[in-house]
Amino acid sequence: MAKLPLNLEGKLEKRRKGNAFRTLSPISDLVDFSSNDYLGFSREKRIAEMANEQVARLQPFQNGATGSRLLSGNHGFYGELEDFISSFHHSPAALIFNSGYDANLGFFSSVPQRGDIVLYDEYCHASIRDGIKLGPSKSYKFKHNSLGDLASHLKRSRKVHGENPTIYVVTESVFSMDGDSPNLAEFAALVVDNGALLVVDEAHAMGIYGKGLMNTLGLEDNVFARIITFGKALGTHGAVILGNPGLRDFLINFCRSFIYTTALPLHTLATIWAAYRFFDSEQGRQRQQALTDNIGYFKSLIVQKGLNMYFSESSSAVQVCRIGGNDQTKKLSSVLKEAGFDVRPILNPTVPQGEERLRFCLHAFNTGNEMESVLTMVKKHMLNEE
Ligand SMILES: Cc1ncc(COP(=O)(O)O)c(C=O)c1O
């Protein structure tokens, strides 16, 4: 077999030298402080049973979708599920994508047109940035969660590009690597006042803050599009773009990551449906409460143990302990691993140099004891205690 070209080998070597070489490891039975399964839905057997029952009811039965949605893959259940999801999130329309990555890539590469402007938070997810890169619009990043910087970008955009360009402003309701949120009410007001269009990725807010922060804050009418992913708190796979019927039609006609791919299998659609049903049940509400309680307890432990200076402010399920340096961050992660805790290091180049961190993902199923023990170890390490 042909060897890897030398220039690719060189890039890998650079990663190895920077202690940033990525490898795949099998899922572990360690205490989970790393997955996006915030509510424990991915391990919930009842959701699997409901999905199987639903698949058995749906006609025709199919293992795979057999084609893209524009060809043979648009099972009748797609429409039913999209109607259900759009009404659940108080949106006029919904379009399901195969993943959140596909949804963002497709939206940002197809919707903003030549002459339009995209203003995006500097910490936006790779899928958003990749989509913007593929598209023909001009784009500028604004400082993380900074209303002031966004306001000056909006002003400058109108001045430089005239009154006419459509301006899209993109942010996340919970940032995946920091766990923090913008002041969405103020962001929405600023964007609407400036005649721009707001797009919010709710991947890490759905299920952590009810149906997502735009719903919870009653801001759904101020947003042009929302991206909700199903692979995180809902414990399954796929994503939906919520917006008006015109946007849905546009995406069906022009969004390449929607058009040129095989649709999701029926079983995945049924699992998404079951996860939503479970989310909206008494048990689902108990899970959401358990997660909220755990976040509160974890934050109280940070204070109790004097670790505030290392942890960023976050009220979400993502809590971030700044270590600095790939070596140091990896080291603490492996110390925790040896003690039975799965806490992932987030390294450069995923985050800027010096901002390397441990990212704690909290779950409804984490116990008080687990949270207490892991933070005791972090304290020992950070404060050099024996
Ligand atoms: C903010 C954000 N948006 C989109 C995605 C992509 O979603 P998916 O995993 O469904 O492709 C992620 C996943 O990590 C994310 O964190």
Coordinates of all heavy atoms in Angstrom, one line a residue, residues 81-94 211 215 242:
L81 N -42.5 14.2 12.3 CA -41.6 14.5 13.3 C -41.2 16.0 13.3 O -41.1 16.7 14.3 CB -40.3 13.7 13.2 CG -39.2 13.8 14.2 CD1 -39.7 13.5 15.6 CD2 -38.0 12.9 13.9
E82 N -41.0 16.5 12.1 CA -40.7 18.0 11.9 C -41.8 18.9 12.4 O -41.6 19.9 13.1 CB -40.3 18.3 10.5 CG -38.9 17.8 10.2 CD -38.5 17.9 8.7 OE1 -39.4 18.1 7.8 OE2 -37.3 17.8 8.4
D83 N -43.1 18.5 12.2 CA -44.2 19.2 12.7 C -44.2 19.2 14.2 O -44.4 20.3 14.9 CB -45.6 18.6 12.2 CG -45.8 19.0 10.7 OD1 -45.0 19.8 10.2 OD2 -46.7 18.3 10.1
F84 N -44.0 18.0 14.8 CA -43.9 17.9 16.2 C -42.8 18.8 16.8 O -43.1 19.5 17.8 CB -43.7 16.4 16.6 CG -43.4 16.2 18.0 CD1 -44.4 16.3 19.0 CD2 -42.1 15.8 18.4 CE1 -44.1 16.1 20.3 CE2 -41.8 15.6 19.7 CZ -42.8 15.8 20.7
I85 N -41.6 18.7 16.2 CA -40.5 19.4 16.8 C -40.7 21.0 16.6 O -40.4 21.7 17.6 CB -39.2 19.0 16.1 CG1 -38.8 17.6 16.6 CG2 -38.0 19.9 16.5 CD1 -37.6 17.0 15.9
S86 N -41.2 21.4 15.5 CA -41.4 22.8 15.3 C -42.4 23.3 16.3 O -42.2 24.4 16.9 CB -41.8 23.2 13.9 OG -43.0 22.6 13.5
S87 N -43.5 22.6 16.6 CA -44.5 23.1 17.6 C -43.9 23.0 19.0 O -44.1 23.9 19.8 CB -45.8 22.4 17.4 OG -46.1 21.5 18.3
F88 N -43.1 22.0 19.3 CA -42.5 21.8 20.6 C -41.6 23.1 20.9 O -41.5 23.6 22.0 CB -41.6 20.6 20.6 CG -41.0 20.2 21.9 CD1 -41.6 19.5 22.8 CD2 -39.7 20.7 22.2 CE1 -41.1 19.1 24.0 CE2 -39.1 20.3 23.4 CZ -39.8 19.6 24.3
H89 N -40.9 23.6 19.9 CA -39.9 24.7 20.1 C -40.6 26.0 19.7 O -39.8 27.0 19.6 CB -38.7 24.5 19.3 CG -37.8 23.4 19.8 ND1 -37.1 23.5 21.0 CD2 -37.5 22.1 19.4 CE1 -36.4 22.4 21.2 NE2 -36.6 21.6 20.3
H90 N -41.9 26.0 19.4 CA -42.6 27.3 19.0 C -41.9 27.9 17.8 O -41.5 29.1 17.9 CB -42.6 28.3 20.2 CG -43.2 27.7 21.5 ND1 -42.9 28.2 22.7 CD2 -43.9 26.7 21.7 CE1 -43.5 27.5 23.6 NE2 -44.1 26.5 23.0
S91 N -41.7 27.2 16.8 CA -41.1 27.7 15.6 C -42.1 27.4 14.4 O -42.7 26.3 14.4 CB -39.8 27.0 15.3 OG -39.3 27.3 14.0
P92 N -42.2 28.3 13.5 CA -43.1 28.0 12.4 C -42.7 26.8 11.5 O -43.6 26.2 10.9 CB -43.1 29.3 11.5 CG -42.2 30.3 12.2 CD -41.5 29.6 13.4
A93 N -41.5 26.5 11.4 CA -41.1 25.4 10.6 C -39.8 24.8 11.1 O -39.1 25.4 11.9 CB -40.9 25.9 9.1
A94 N -39.5 23.6 10.7 CA -38.3 22.8 11.1 C -37.8 22.0 10.0 O -38.6 21.4 9.2 CB -38.7 21.9 12.3
K211 N -36.1 23.7 26.9 CA -36.1 23.4 25.5 C -35.0 24.2 24.7 O -35.0 24.2 23.5 CB -37.5 23.8 24.9 CG -38.7 23.1 25.5 CD -39.9 23.6 24.9 CE -41.1 22.8 25.5 NZ -42.4 23.3 24.9
N215 N -36.1 29.5 23.8 CA -37.5 29.2 24.3 C -37.7 29.6 25.7 O -38.7 30.2 26.1 CB -37.8 27.7 24.2 CG -38.2 27.3 22.8 OD1 -37.7 26.3 22.2 ND2 -39.2 28.0 22.2
L242 N -34.5 25.4 13.0 CA -35.8 26.0 13.2 C -35.8 27.4 12.6 O -34.9 28.1 12.8 CB -36.1 26.1 14.7 CG -36.0 24.8 15.5 CD1 -36.1 25.1 17.0 CD2 -37.1 23.8 15.1

